[in-house]
Amino acid sequence: MTPLALFLCASASLLVPVASQDIFSNRESFSQCLALARKIHSDVYALLSKYKEEHIGSKSFEDYSLVMTSLPTINLHYSTWLSMEDSERLLINLKDLHVFWIHVDAKRIYELESMPQSSLAQNMEDVLLDMRDLLFQMKHQLEFLETPAPETLSQSVPDALLNPQNEWLSKLQGYIILRDLERYLGKVVRDFTLLRTKYQK
Amino acid sequence: MLPKLHLQTLLTTVMLLAPQVDVSEEDSPKAPTDLKCATHDMLTFICSWSAGPETNLKTSYKICYKPTHCESVERNVSGKINLPLIEAAQIHITAVNTLGSATATFQVTKKDITFIPPVPQNVKVVPDFSSQTLSLKWTGGISALVIPTTIEFEIQVLWTEKMEVIHTESYAAQLDSQNKTFQWSWISSMPLKCTSHSVRIRSISTDILMSSKNSSSDWSKLQTIPGADDSESVMFPKDKVVSVGTNMTFCCVAGRGHRIKTINYGDEQLPCNEVGNRNKAITKYNLPPSVSSGTNVICKLDPVGVAGTVVFVGYPPDDQQLECETRDLQNIDCHWSPGRQTMLLGKHKTFYTLRERFTFSCPKANDDADPNGDKYKCSFPVINGHQMYEFLLKAKNPLGEVETSYTLNLYTRVYPYRPSKVVVCYIGSRETELSLSWGVSYKNMTNLCQFEIITNNKEKELRNFTLPGQEANALSNVTVKQLYPDTSYSVRTRCASAEHFWKWSSWSNSKTWKTKEEAPSKALDVWREIKRTEHGQNVFVKWKPLPHSDAKGTIVKYEITWKAMNEVGEQSAFAPVSTNSTELHLNFSDYIISVRAINLAGSSPTSQIRILGLLEEQVDEPSIISGTPSGFNLSWSPGTNETCGYIVDWCLFPDTPDCNLQWQKVPPKTTHTVITSDSFRPGVRYSISVYGCSQHKEYLLEKMAGYTQELAPRRAVKVKAEANSSHTVTLWWGDIPVQDRRGFIKGYRVYYVPQVNYSARSQKSVGIKEVIDITDPDVRNVKVTNLHSATYEFTVRAYTAGGEGIGEPININLVDSSLGLILAILIPLATTCFCGILLGICYAKRNCVKETFYPDIPKPEIHGEQWSVGEGRSCNPTFDVKPFMPDKVCVIESVPGKDAEDSDICKVEMDKCDSEQIDDSCSDTSSKPMLPSYHPQIVDSYKASSDSSSGSIDSCATQVTYSDIQPPSSGSVNNLEVISDSGYKPQMRTHVPLLDVNHTPNPQHLDLPEQSEGYLPQVKVNNWSLYSPEVDEATACIGSPTSVNSTQFLLPDQASEEGPSSRSSSWKFSSLMSSEQKR
């Protein structure tokens, strides 16, 4: 699915930079990325459930009081969200998803160290590949919107993530990361839905 | 012991005496009372006393405990005195004020002084939260103790919040002059962070010498180790790694605003112990191995929240099974097995360190893990000139460490590579030379190579060869001998160190070749079949193909050479390899025929047979042999001229034109053999010929025929029949063809059965089947007699040892002649007429018949002299005949024709009586006049004669029987009437023969009617004698009137037992009989 998604995104975004076709191209790109975001959202949801079952001991575990300050905030006022420019919307998503990508990747590495044959690590890698494709696509969409994408995104990994105080905290970190990513991807899906709708007109 | 003795000598005994008080006046001070002394250091005593009632004046005390030493103290309640160590001391305490003084004197001994150990000083607690250990340090609290003494420290650990003592322990020590530091540690089962822990300690004097007044010190100040703060909810311990099977306590500290609901170990909810207000703990016993990510211990909080921790439960490293070897003498490869899984991964996994003792270590012991996970390895280079190596492997994880060592002599642990090249250098017919080489050098080592030789892809053979060591890629030659010509071989090899065998290498690639051919080594096995014609003889020369072991190559053709004995030249021909025979048309001369097989390497030795043209083979009748399912065991008489053995031949398929002639050559002097073949079939007749060989000339010796298994004939016997008369039929049949016999015919069975027509619809009913067994197999006809006029079905079936064959039924209708029919009618008719005439004559002459056969019974005439009775015998009741007055007659019929031996016959006939009549006549026997109960009985002649008493021979021989005077039809009513009138019952007997006079019946064995009572003689008087002699019971004829031959049934055998009345009557008759006999 990942190569297919990549192909779809790339084919929709990299083809014909002719002005008359920009709108059509962007619309298609938003549609494909909406589909990809939905897929990632679905995968992360399943991954979160599996993670909770394997590491926390219960699929139904929830604790919204736990937060990681290094993760992007999800709360956004509706009117603010509604009034955002397209490029701004894409840019925020790009930055935030990149932060999530770093966190998930750090967690994947930690998981592999603990268990070389971990299926969770493999699932995380699949999600990361899809997220990379989505980020790649969003960068191109920003270019179409004539908004320069940041040259380099932050690569710093929080120290607490690399060296958790104890194993339980590490497990909770993974839970928080996936939980917040799943919620954030909900927002991303809504953003792409809005963008696709907007460009369909 | 020594310190105690020392102490004993040094301790001061303080005698406390009653004070001697001097009172000066009323407000003057009172003398001190109640002196108490204690010491903390055996040097200084602290004494206190009671001052008495207070006065308005200030009182000071002066203490004098040595004559030369006095002290003044201001206080009025206690004082401190420095006493020397004395056995006893007098203490004078003087209370002084302005008005006067009062002195009290105390006698103090050592028993009166209490030793109070000092409170431990410098107490310090150091926690180790990871190991959950509290370490305590303190000093004795005495800088210098004059007398060393044994002391005990009591240490208590408390949960500070609840001030609950959770552990108490004593620590024994000895205090001496050196104020040394003591140390104690305690491992808590519960993490120290769970709650605040406090420690206190005190001293207790335990010295025996001080025991009279022992006491403990005060507790030291609490030393508290604070637990986790309550800013957030946490669980302890964190990330603990423990061994499987241990017990472990986990605690949860709820943060502010939270309350602990439950604590789970994995999926298991465990009961909580209350540690504090917001602290709870669980204990899990016998911990099982955890999963790779550890086992979660989760504390659920109220309101919503969780705290958790992870515990890793696993095993310490297992035995490692280190093994090292070299494959190329350049590097040493070590590998080991991790053994049992530790269940610990990630940062808790096992780390390996492999090093050679003196030279180097393996830098990648942990990176080179085999992907399979069960083998770990590392490689070291060999050092020139260094053969001995010692390796040490350390495996370590958080739960333990294991070391394994391995000593290696380089040349004793060589696991060589397989030969990289195997080349066939030379191929002969019986040997092949191979060359081996390796990609690495084994020059200092002798190789032991094992060759697996597979012959024709079937037989496998292992051969070992020793090869000297060679440089890399140098060839080592091996000659493989003892091979077979023209044979395919496949070989592969593996090698090991010959001097110090350690391991075989893996197998090399296989190499295949075929050895060269040789000329056939054996002559062909040749035989012939001769068919003589008018013009000559057709000789079929046959041979058996050589087996591969004898052919030693591929036979390409056969050469046949023949030469007449009387001629010089010879002829030859070749036969292709595909044939095993050839046909020669020869004249009647004698010939020598030679055959040989030819392959590419040469030809085989020549096989010769001789054909005697004019020799007629005598064809005798074959002898019959029996076979087994697998073949025949043959034996024959030795030939007279046999010099070169025998030949046995037979046709494998005798029913086919090409009978597939088989032969077997038997060595000389052997006259038996076994021929077997899978092609032998049951029911097939095999003809076997035995030829003798004399001077290379074969002559027919014997013929045999037999079956491996006989079966029933396959074909029915063809039968012809001819009716000779209405009762006789003659059957003929022919032979069954030999091929249909399927066994040797042992005989024939002729079945015939009459066919009966019962209805117009010609429904046949088969009568009884009869059979005639003809055991002579040569008989071909049979005459069947005693037949009736009917339609008969005849079937003839041949039978062998294998069973009876099928038959074809043939029907013959037999018809009676008219003469016989007429005779069959007339003879019974004539017989009937004759009987009628005879009856008429008898009727006409009935009076004559009556006189002859049934005369009137004469009345008895009594003459006085003759009737005289002997003395003692006044009367003869037998002749005291009174007229009977029969009132009823019981008619009892005998049944003509019934078997006289039937003993129940009497009872059967009694049933014919009216029951009333029977009762009257049979039961009223005791009344008088009595009707003699007489029943006609049919007595078997033999029985009657044999049962007669020996004592009545004469009387029994009296020849008057009713068989003579009564007609056979004695059951008529008229006869009965006659009997009734005369009071006499005739004894009807049919065809009773006369008694044998020489035979003595035994009357005791006679079957007599139970009711027979008496008898009236029915003979002429003049046949009787009145003389009645003394009765000899032993010899008397117990029977009654012998004249009527009724002894048997008129006198019951139990008469002698029943009573004198019955016996008396028998006596009378027996007397008569005896008298008659004597006369």
Side-chain angles (χ1 to χ4, degrees):
Chain A
M1 186 64 189
T2 301
L4 176 62
L6 178 62
F7 171 75
L8 290 172
C9 284
S11 61
S13 58
L14 299 178
L15 289 176
V16 285
V18 183
S20 60
Q21 294 180 339
D22 285 351
I23 295 175
F24 170 77
S25 180
N26 257 345
R27 189 180 65 201
E28 287 301 307
S29 174
F30 288 138
S31 296
Q32 299 299 339
C33 291
L34 172 61
L36 181 56
R38 280 177 173 160
K39 176 190 177 295
I40 299 170
H41 184 229
S42 170
D43 289 348
V44 171
Y45 181 82
L47 177 60
L48 174 62
S49 178
K50 185 176 178 181
Y51 184 91
K52 287 194 289 185
E53 185 179 17
E54 288 192 11
H55 279 315
I56 314 268
S58 170
K59 278 183 180 178
S60 59
F61 174 81
E62 288 298 352
D63 189 348
Y64 289 101
S65 65
L66 301 170
V67 290
M68 281 179 71
T69 54
S70 58
L71 290 173
T73 179
I74 305 163
N75 299 326
L76 190 64
H77 196 274
Y78 176 68
S79 58
T80 309
W81 176 77
L82 204 59
S83 61
M84 286 170 75
E85 294 291 330
D86 296 342
S87 57
E88 184 186 9
R89 194 183 303 278
L90 283 172
L91 197 58
I92 290 174
N93 283 346
L94 179 69
K95 290 179 180 176
D96 288 350
L97 281 178
H98 179 74
V99 174
F100 275 112
W101 193 95
I102 290 172
H103 278 73
V104 174
D105 191 46
K107 214 66 227 170
R108 180 187 66 84
I109 293 168
Y110 187 86
E111 186 75 20
L112 275 179
E113 288 176 353
S114 302
M115 284 187 292
Q117 307 296 327
S118 169
S119 62
L120 274 175
Q122 183 60 45
N123 294 341
M124 287 178 183
E125 188 174 348
D126 294 342
V127 167
L128 288 171
L129 285 171
D130 284 342
M131 285 177 70
R132 187 195 61 186
D133 294 344
L134 187 61
L135 292 171
F136 182 79
Q137 169 65 9
M138 288 163 73
K139 281 184 183 176
H140 282 283
Q141 285 166 349
L142 281 172
E143 287 175 7
F144 278 116
L145 296 176
E146 297 179 347
T147 303
E151 289 290 328
T152 55
L153 293 169
S154 169
Q155 298 292 328
S156 63
V157 183
D159 186 60
L161 196 60
L162 294 174
N163 301 300
Q165 291 179 354
N166 56 61
E167 196 66 28
W168 177 247
L169 279 184
S170 173
K171 291 183 176 186
L172 290 182
Q173 284 173 351
Y175 157 72
I176 297 166
I177 292 167
L178 294 174
R179 179 200 65 191
D180 286 2
L181 175 59
E182 191 267 335
R183 292 168 68 189
Y184 195 89
L185 283 167
K187 184 183 92 69
V188 173
V189 167
R190 282 195 298 273
D191 283 337
F192 277 114
T193 307
L194 178 69
L195 289 170
R196 186 189 64 171
T197 309
K198 201 170 178 180
Y199 281 83
Q200 272 182 343
K201 295 174 183 175
Chain B
M1 193 65 188
L2 185 60
K4 291 178 181 176
L5 291 172
H6 182 66
L7 185 66
Q8 192 175 14
T9 56
L10 293 179
L11 274 178
T12 302
T13 303
V14 181
M15 298 293 294
L16 193 62
L17 301 176
Q20 296 172 0
V21 180
D22 295 334
V23 180
S24 58
E25 55 187 83
E26 190 169 333
D27 278 338
S28 60
K30 301 296 180 186
T33 60
D34 197 13
L35 179 70
K36 292 180 180 175
C37 293
T39 179
H40 292 293
D41 54 4
M42 299 292 180
L43 188 64
T44 303
F45 296 86
I46 298 172
C47 296
S48 62
W49 56 89
S50 298
E54 287 187 5
T55 61
N56 294 326
L57 300 174
K58 183 181 178 183
T59 303
S60 62
Y61 298 92
K62 183 181 179 183
I63 305 166
C64 297
Y65 50 89
K66 288 181 182 177
T68 58
H69 184 80
C70 290
E71 289 180 10
S72 293
V73 293
E74 294 297 324
R75 300 178 64 173
N76 61 354
V77 288
S78 64
K80 183 179 179 183
I81 12 179
N82 292 322
L83 281 173
L85 292 173
I86 54 172
E87 288 294 322
Q90 270 193 343
I91 298 176
H92 307 277
I93 302 175
T94 304
V96 180
N97 63 11
T98 54
L99 295 180
S101 63
T103 301
T105 301
F106 300 92
Q107 194 74 22
V108 177
T109 67
K110 61 181 182 182
K111 289 185 179 178
D112 299 320
I113 300 173
T114 304
F115 176 66
I116 301 173
V119 176
Q121 300 296 311
N122 304 320
V123 178
K124 190 177 179 182
V125 180
V126 178
D128 183 353
F129 293 105
S130 61
S131 62
Q132 301 176 185
T133 304
L134 285 176
S135 297
L136 183 68
K137 290 182 180 178
W138 72 96
T139 59
I142 304 171
S143 58
L145 189 63
V146 177
I147 308 168
T149 182
T150 304
I151 203 164
E152 187 178 273
F153 295 104
E154 186 180 22
I155 306 163
Q156 284 188 341
V157 182
L158 304 89
W159 282 343
T160 311
E161 185 178 346
K162 297 169 73 174
M163 283 306 287
E164 179 183 335
V165 177
I166 57 170
H167 184 72
T168 301
E169 190 173 323
S170 294
Y171 183 95
Q174 192 173 39
L175 291 178
D176 54 17
S177 58
Q178 296 174 350
N179 189 18
K180 64 180 180 182
T181 302
F182 299 99
Q183 192 167 341
W184 171 84
S185 63
W186 170 71
I187 299 173
S188 172
S189 62
M190 194 173 69
L192 299 176
K193 283 279 188 180
C194 290
T195 186
S196 297
H197 289 73
S198 294
V199 180
R200 63 183 180 182
I201 185 171
R202 67 176 178 177
S203 309
I204 300 173
S205 171
T206 57
D207 200 296
I208 298 172
L209 295 176
M210 308 296 289
S211 60
S212 59
K213 286 284 185 177
N214 282 351
S215 62
S216 59
S217 71
D218 292 334
W219 288 104
S220 65
K221 283 185 181 178
L222 283 176
Q223 300 293 315
T224 301
I225 306 301
D229 59 31
D230 56 359
S231 59
E232 59 177 354
S233 300
V234 286
M235 281 207 74
F236 298 103
K238 293 184 180 298
D239 299 350
K240 196 86 173 174
V241 184
V242 294
S243 295
V244 173
T246 55
N247 304 329
M248 200 167 173
T249 300
F250 303 88
C251 72
C252 178
V253 181
R256 289 191 201 96
H258 285 93
R259 188 177 60 82
I260 297 169
K261 282 164 60 180
T262 58
I263 303 177
N264 282 29
Y265 181 88
D267 297 331
E268 184 184 4
Q269 182 177 331
L270 296 174
C272 298
N273 297 324
E274 199 83 30
V275 178
N277 289 334
R278 287 180 293 110
N279 312 34
K280 287 184 179 177
I282 59 168
T283 300
K284 173 68 178 174
Y285 298 96
N286 193 17
L287 287 173
S290 59
V291 296
S292 56
S293 64
T295 303
N296 295 336
V297 187
I298 297 175
C299 176
K300 292 183 180 175
L301 303 168
D302 186 24
V304 178
V306 292
T309 186
V310 182
V311 61
F312 299 90
V313 187
Y315 297 96
D318 199 6
D319 184 23
Q320 305 305 315
Q321 299 172 4
L322 176 65
E323 188 176 279
C324 298
E325 62 197 7
T326 179
R327 303 211 65 176
D328 53 5
L329 300 173
Q330 301 296 317
N331 292 286
I332 298 171
D333 302 320
C334 293
H335 55 264
W336 63 91
S337 165
R340 178 183 58 191
Q341 288 192 357
T342 62
M343 311 303 291
L344 302 176
L345 296 172
K347 60 186 177 183
H348 305 303
K349 71 179 181 182
T350 304
F351 286 87
Y352 297 96
T353 307
L354 178 65
R355 58 187 296 271
E356 207 283 319
R357 186 173 178 184
F358 302 109
T359 55
F360 36 65
S361 63
C362 181
K364 295 182 178 179
N366 297 291
D367 297 337
D368 284 348
D370 191 287
N372 296 327
D374 57 351
K375 286 285 182 184
Y376 297 77
K377 56 189 178 184
C378 193
S379 186
F380 299 89
V382 170
I383 302 168
N384 283 335
H386 201 117
Q387 287 194 15
M388 295 300 296
Y389 298 86
E390 184 174 347
F391 295 93
L392 186 67
L393 176 70
K394 281 186 182 178
K396 184 178 182 182
N397 76 0
L399 296 178
E401 181 176 331
V402 173
E403 285 189 3
T404 311
S405 64
Y406 190 85
T407 304
L408 171 75
N409 183 339
L410 188 65
Y411 285 95
T412 63
R413 294 288 183 270
V414 181
Y415 173 35
Y417 288 110
R418 66 177 189 172
S420 57
K421 283 184 182 176
V422 179
V423 181
V424 179
C425 301
Y426 163 76
I427 299 174
S429 60
R430 292 187 178 268
E431 64 180 28
T432 298
E433 190 173 323
L434 302 170
S435 293
L436 312 179
S437 66
W438 285 265
V440 297
S441 171
Y442 292 114
K443 65 177 181 180
N444 294 326
M445 187 185 83
T446 304
N447 280 314
L448 173 67
C449 291
Q450 187 173 64
F451 286 75
E452 183 189 71
I453 302 168
I454 300 172
T455 307
N456 289 328
N457 295 321
K458 291 177 183 173
E459 299 165 8
K460 189 182 289 184
E461 182 189 2
L462 292 174
R463 295 190 197 177
N464 291 343
F465 295 88
T466 302
L467 305 178
Q470 292 284 0
E471 291 285 356
N473 299 316
L475 294 176
S476 298
N477 293 330
V478 174
T479 302
V480 183
K481 297 181 178 178
Q482 296 177 341
L483 303 179
Y484 294 102
D486 192 42
T487 304
S488 292
Y489 289 95
S490 175
V491 70
R492 59 177 186 164
T493 183
R494 60 180 180 177
C495 298
S497 169
E499 294 161 344
H500 305 283
F501 182 87
W502 169 239
K503 283 180 183 176
W504 287 113
S505 69
S506 55
W507 288 104
S508 69
N509 292 328
S510 292
K511 208 71 183 175
T512 303
W513 74 95
K514 189 174 185 180
T515 50
K516 291 182 177 176
E517 296 184 359
E518 285 183 356
S521 60
K522 282 191 176 177
L524 290 165
D525 186 358
V526 181
W527 188 234
R528 86 291 185 274
E529 187 179 4
I530 302 171
K531 292 182 180 175
R532 289 190 169 81
T533 63
E534 296 176 352
H535 308 291
Q537 47 188 348
N538 293 336
V539 178
F540 294 88
V541 182
K542 298 171 182 280
W543 57 88
K544 293 177 183 175
L546 287 172
H548 182 263
S549 59
D550 295 331
K552 302 189 186 313
T554 305
I555 302 297
V556 294
K557 58 186 175 183
Y558 296 97
E559 183 183 24
I560 302 100
T561 307
W562 64 97
K563 173 178 170 295
M565 301 279 279
N566 53 0
E567 295 178 5
V568 178
E570 64 178 18
Q571 294 175 279
S572 66
F574 292 96
V577 70
S578 58
T579 61
N580 293 322
S581 65
T582 187
E583 184 178 1
L584 301 177
H585 302 284
L586 306 176
N587 56 29
F588 287 111
S589 301
D590 294 349
Y591 282 89
I592 297 175
I593 301 174
S594 304
V595 184
R596 57 179 186 164
I598 299 171
N599 66 10
L600 294 177
S603 61
S604 69
T606 303
S607 297
Q608 284 189 343
I609 53 172
R610 292 166 189 269
I611 307 298
L612 304 179
L614 298 177
L615 179 65
E616 281 292 334
E617 294 178 339
Q618 298 296 324
V619 181
D620 295 332
E621 196 66 25
S623 57
I624 292 173
I625 57 172
S626 59
T628 61
S630 58
F632 296 94
N633 292 321
L634 304 177
S635 63
W636 55 88
S637 302
T640 52
N641 300 321
E642 176 263 320
T643 57
C644 48
Y646 300 91
I647 299 100
V648 179
D649 75 3
W650 69 96
C651 283
L652 196 57
F653 305 112
D655 302 339
T656 58
D658 177 17
C659 72
N660 195 352
L661 184 70
Q662 305 288 310
W663 68 93
Q664 188 179 89
K665 291 189 174 174
V666 181
K669 308 298 181 189
T670 304
T671 56
H672 58 85
T673 188
V674 177
I675 58 173
T676 57
S677 172
D678 293 336
S679 300
F680 282 139
R681 290 165 295 153
V684 174
R685 181 170 181 155
Y686 293 97
S687 296
I688 300 161
S689 302
V690 180
Y691 295 84
C693 175
S694 174
Q695 296 176 345
H696 299 288
K697 298 172 186 175
E698 292 81 15
Y699 58 93
L700 180 62
L701 188 67
E702 191 173 339
K703 279 198 162 190
M704 305 174 189
Y707 295 85
T708 56
Q709 185 181 349
E710 291 191 50
L711 302 176
R714 165 165 64 195
R715 178 169 293 187
V717 178
K718 301 282 186 184
V719 185
K720 292 179 182 176
E722 181 181 334
N724 300 342
S725 69
S726 60
H727 304 292
T728 306
V729 170
T730 301
L731 304 173
W732 294 273
W733 59 90
D735 275 342
I736 299 175
V738 172
Q739 64 271 19
D740 293 330
R741 292 178 189 171
R742 304 204 296 175
F744 296 111
I745 302 292
K746 293 196 163 200
Y748 299 89
R749 290 195 183 96
V750 180
Y751 297 92
Y752 59 99
V753 58
Q755 309 288 310
V756 181
N757 286 332
Y758 276 102
S759 67
R761 293 184 180 179
S762 299
Q763 289 178 342
K764 290 184 177 179
S765 171
V766 178
I768 297 170
K769 197 172 192 176
E770 296 192 60
V771 62
I772 300 171
D773 192 1
I774 300 166
T775 56
D776 184 356
D778 296 328
V779 170
R780 293 291 182 272
N781 61 71
V782 68
K783 181 180 282 187
V784 185
T785 58
N786 295 328
L787 300 176
H788 304 291
S789 300
T791 299
Y792 278 88
E793 181 186 275
F794 294 92
T795 308
V796 178
R797 295 180 180 178
Y799 62 91
T800 67
E804 191 178 86
I806 57 175
E808 284 183 357
I810 183 171
N811 290 336
I812 297 292
N813 188 15
L814 299 177
V815 182
D816 274 346
S817 62
S818 56
L819 178 60
L821 185 62
I822 292 168
L823 284 175
I825 296 170
L826 288 182
I827 289 171
L829 189 62
T831 306
T832 307
C833 292
F834 174 76
C835 291
I837 294 167
L838 192 62
L839 285 172
I841 294 169
C842 289
Y843 180 76
K845 299 295 183 180
R846 60 183 180 278
N847 291 333
C848 179
V849 172
K850 181 174 179 289
E851 283 298 324
T852 304
F853 296 105
Y854 196 14
D856 290 337
I857 298 173
K859 292 182 181 178
E861 294 178 4
I862 301 173
H863 303 281
E865 296 84 4
Q866 291 177 340
W867 198 250
S868 61
V869 181
E871 291 181 7
R873 304 284 178 185
S874 58
C875 61
N876 190 334
T878 303
F879 291 93
D880 188 11
V881 179
K882 294 179 180 178
F884 288 104
M885 297 299 289
D887 49 0
K888 287 185 180 175
V889 174
C890 178
V891 179
I892 301 171
E893 296 178 352
S894 67
V895 180
K898 265 213 165 184
D899 190 355
E901 289 182 358
D902 190 350
S903 60
D904 290 337
I905 193 167
C906 179
K907 293 179 182 178
V908 171
E909 296 306 321
M910 286 288 285
D911 291 342
K912 287 189 175 181
C913 298
D914 286 340
S915 59
E916 185 182 355
Q917 289 174 335
I918 291 171
D919 289 340
D920 292 343
S921 62
C922 299
S923 62
D924 196 18
T925 52
S926 60
S927 63
K928 300 221 177 161
M930 182 179 68
L931 175 65
S933 175
Y934 170 64
H935 303 277
Q937 293 190 10
I938 300 168
V939 181
D940 179 76
S941 59
Y942 170 76
K943 196 171 181 181
S945 61
S946 63
D947 290 350
S948 299
S949 169
S950 60
S952 59
I953 292 175
D954 296 337
S955 62
C956 292
T958 307
Q959 298 296 314
V960 180
T961 63
Y962 281 92
S963 62
D964 295 332
I965 60 173
Q966 288 188 342
S969 56
S970 56
S972 66
V973 178
N974 293 334
N975 292 337
L976 290 172
E977 286 172 350
V978 170
I979 294 168
S980 176
D981 290 342
S982 61
Y984 163 71
K985 291 183 178 178
Q987 302 173 22
M988 292 172 289
R989 296 190 60 173
T990 56
H991 306 293
V992 177
L994 294 176
L995 289 173
D996 184 1
V997 293
N998 297 321
H999 191 83
T1000 307
N1002 183 4
Q1004 292 178 347
H1005 296 163
L1006 297 176
D1007 293 334
L1008 299 178
E1010 294 176 357
Q1011 299 298 329
S1012 64
E1013 270 293 332
Y1015 171 71
L1016 294 179
Q1018 301 162 34
V1019 294
K1020 293 179 180 177
V1021 176
N1022 50 9
N1023 289 335
W1024 289 34
S1025 171
L1026 294 176
Y1027 174 72
S1028 179
E1030 290 292 327
V1031 174
D1032 183 2
E1033 284 188 353
T1035 58
C1037 176
I1038 305 174
S1040 62
T1042 58
S1043 60
V1044 290
N1045 194 23
S1046 59
T1047 308
Q1048 302 96 322
F1049 46 81
L1050 291 181
L1051 284 178
D1053 58 351
Q1054 63 266 57
S1056 60
E1057 302 169 4
E1058 287 176 351
S1061 60
S1062 61
R1063 192 159 53 216
S1064 63
S1065 61
S1066 63
W1067 263 103
K1068 294 166 187 174
F1069 283 103
S1070 62
S1071 300
L1072 282 173
M1073 299 304 165
S1074 299
S1075 62
E1076 177 73 10
Q1077 188 178 358
K1078 285 178 180 179
R1079 276 194 296 153

